[in-house]
Amino acid sequence: MDCEGAVMAKKIEKLSALRIAKYSPGCHGDGANLWLQVGPTGGRSWLFRYRFGGKARNMGLGPVHTVSLAEAREKAREARKLLLDGLDPGAEKRSRLEAIKLAAAVQLTFDQCAEKYISAHRTGWRNPKHAAQWENTLATYASPIIGGVSAANVNTALVLRVLEPIWAIKTETASRLRGRIEAILDWAKVRGYRSGENPARWKGHLDKMLPARAKVKAVEHHPALQFSETAAFLVDLRRQEGVTARALEFAILTAARSGEVRGATWGEVDLRKAVWVVPRTRMKAGKEHHVPLSDAALHLLRALPRFEGVDLVFPAPRGGQLSDMAMTVLLRRMGLTITAHGFRSSFRDWAGETTAYPREVIEHALAHQLRDKTEAAYQRGALFDKRRRLMGDWATYCCTIKGDGGGVVAIRGGTA
């Protein structure tokens, strides 16, 4: 600094750091808009006095015990630079403080985001157990590591700490957990709780660090019965007493999922039109499904007992809906290791290998979503008439066994 500048600085910097504690109550100017404010009880703080928009304004720079004279002068200098740029230093300070408060307010932990995500989606999940499954897997594997971490700070390293210990030994669980973490972090980003790429995404990210699920553990399909054995199995099944046996038989004849059958109500069934309409709330794809009922399926339904005040087609003996293990227990009691869901595979194999029905008809019968969007749009009519013929043929096949002479014999409830 040259001599002229030094003189100017001397004239501006009037206060002495050594005398700060000795100034009497009132305001004492340091020059260049900086003032020391001394209260009646001796409290001391710094003020930046200025004019903006034709009005006199004050901006606090902090107490003396925290902000030194040199620091106060630097703060005053920064404020004067804002004035030169045409900005109000006080408004800029308030805006900055509000931004800090807002940032602190929107910091939610991963567990908090997970709770809000599950709460937001709970009513949209068809199975009440779905929310519990989310909560349990997250609480068991994710919360101990990232539960208390701000959603904004969850990164790839933390996600890997959650997944790597169970990826090889609990692959299916780990895969579902990864998807749940990804969904929660996507939700957090949309709600403004984090930014940037999702560290739990698979394609192009975690697939470079973790082996594909299929390579770690072979995908286990539902054990199924050979379709050629279905008729013989139905003979044995019809010897079984109880509502569970009838529910399983109905599931086989309609190629429906066990959950759809267990939740079926008489209000969904039109015996006159021979159709069962499963509401979208109970369908895996979330779309209403019309199931054509074969003569065998209608015969089964008409033979079922009806109970006053009970709308379930297959009510549990002690009331309410059959449990999701009821059919499995029945099959084990019959000495089989197959699953109820496996009969859908039996139907699919039979239809694909022994009939000329188009693939889209078979897929619609199974309530599968057609992968090709153009094909799905073209088949919007759901091919109901063709599906009715398909399910009739399936019922005939299921209800017919070969006789000793090579002919065929219809079994009870059959259509042959």
Side-chain angles (χ1 to χ4, degrees), residues 102-110 112-114 116-117 149-154 184-196:
L102 180 62
V106 300
Q107 289 300 313
L108 291 186
T109 66
F110 177 83
Q112 290 172 323
C113 288
K116 291 180 179 295
Y117 178 92
V149 178
S150 165
N153 294 329
V154 176
I184 291 167
L185 294 180
D186 276 343
W187 177 90
K189 181 177 180 179
V190 172
R191 296 302 296 265
Y193 300 126
R194 65 172 286 118
S195 60

Side-chain angles (χ1 to χ4, degrees), residues 209-221:
M209 291 172 271
L210 294 171
R213 184 179 63 179
K215 293 183 178 179
V216 175
K217 183 178 181 180
V219 177
E220 295 182 1
H221 297 285

Side-chain angles (χ1 to χ4, degrees), residues 296-319:
L298 289 171
H299 178 85
L300 184 155
L301 291 175
R302 290 189 176 110
L304 290 174
R306 301 284 289 269
F307 303 97
E308 185 177 353
V310 178
D311 194 34
L312 285 170
V313 177
F314 303 102
R318 297 181 181 178

Side-chain angles (χ1 to χ4, degrees), residues 124-383:
W125 285 330
R126 293 180 297 277
N127 189 343
K129 294 182 179 180
H130 201 54
Q133 291 170 346
W134 274 65
E135 291 167 341
N136 291 338
T137 54
L138 290 169
T140 301
Y141 303 107
S143 293
I145 297 174
I146 61 175
V149 178
S150 165
N153 294 329
V154 176
N155 55 28
T156 302
L158 287 172
V159 172
L160 286 173
R161 280 184 58 193
V162 173
L163 298 177
E164 284 181 326
I166 60 172
W167 193 260
I169 58 176
K170 296 182 179 180
T171 310
E172 180 65 25
T173 298
S175 180
R176 291 180 180 179
L177 177 63
R178 183 209 61 77
R180 290 165 184 172
I181 294 173
E182 181 181 18
I184 291 167
L185 294 180
D186 276 343
W187 177 90
K189 181 177 180 179
V190 172
R191 296 302 296 265
Y193 300 126
R194 65 172 286 118
S195 60
E197 295 294 332
N198 193 320
R201 73 185 187 279
W202 177 254
K203 191 173 182 180
H205 186 57
L206 290 183
D207 63 344
K208 310 302 179 186
M209 291 172 271
L210 294 171
R213 184 179 63 179
K215 293 183 178 179
V216 175
K217 183 178 181 180
V219 177
E220 295 182 1
H221 297 285
H222 295 281
L225 194 70
Q226 292 292 325
F227 63 81
S228 60
E229 302 173 14
T230 306
F233 170 77
L234 276 181
V235 172
D236 290 338
L237 180 62
R238 286 170 176 169
R239 294 193 183 109
Q240 303 295 318
E241 299 293 334
V243 66
T244 302
R246 303 292 74 77
L248 178 56
E249 181 181 348
F250 186 72
I252 294 171
L253 293 172
T254 57
R257 297 179 178 89
S258 62
E260 296 158 11
V261 172
R262 290 184 291 105
T265 66
W266 288 111
E268 299 168 359
V269 177
D270 189 327
L271 295 175
R272 185 178 60 83
K273 294 183 179 179
V275 64
W276 168 35
V277 181
V278 189
R280 65 179 184 84
T281 53
R282 294 200 298 104
M283 291 300 299
K284 184 176 181 179
K287 292 185 178 181
E288 186 179 85
H289 184 47
H290 290 235
V291 182
L293 298 174
S294 63
D295 289 344
L298 289 171
H299 178 85
L300 184 155
L301 291 175
R302 290 189 176 110
L304 290 174
R306 301 284 289 269
F307 303 97
E308 185 177 353
V310 178
D311 194 34
L312 285 170
V313 177
F314 303 102
R318 297 181 181 178
Q321 186 173 302
L322 289 170
S323 76
D324 56 359
M325 287 298 293
M327 295 183 190
T328 300
V329 171
L330 171 63
L331 288 165
R332 297 298 175 271
R333 193 167 66 238
M334 294 174 68
L336 298 171
T337 58
I338 59 176
T339 66
H341 194 92
F343 285 102
R344 285 167 55 84
S345 297
S346 302
F347 166 79
R348 182 65 181 84
D349 292 342
W350 165 82
E353 295 180 22
T354 71
T355 78
Y357 287 98
R359 180 184 65 86
E360 62 269 19
V361 175
I362 301 169
E363 293 301 299
H364 271 301
L366 290 165
H368 285 165
Q369 291 285 81
L370 294 175
R371 295 182 180 180
D372 186 274
K373 292 182 179 179
T374 303
E375 181 183 12
Y378 182 73
Q379 302 297 348
R380 193 171 285 118
L383 307 166

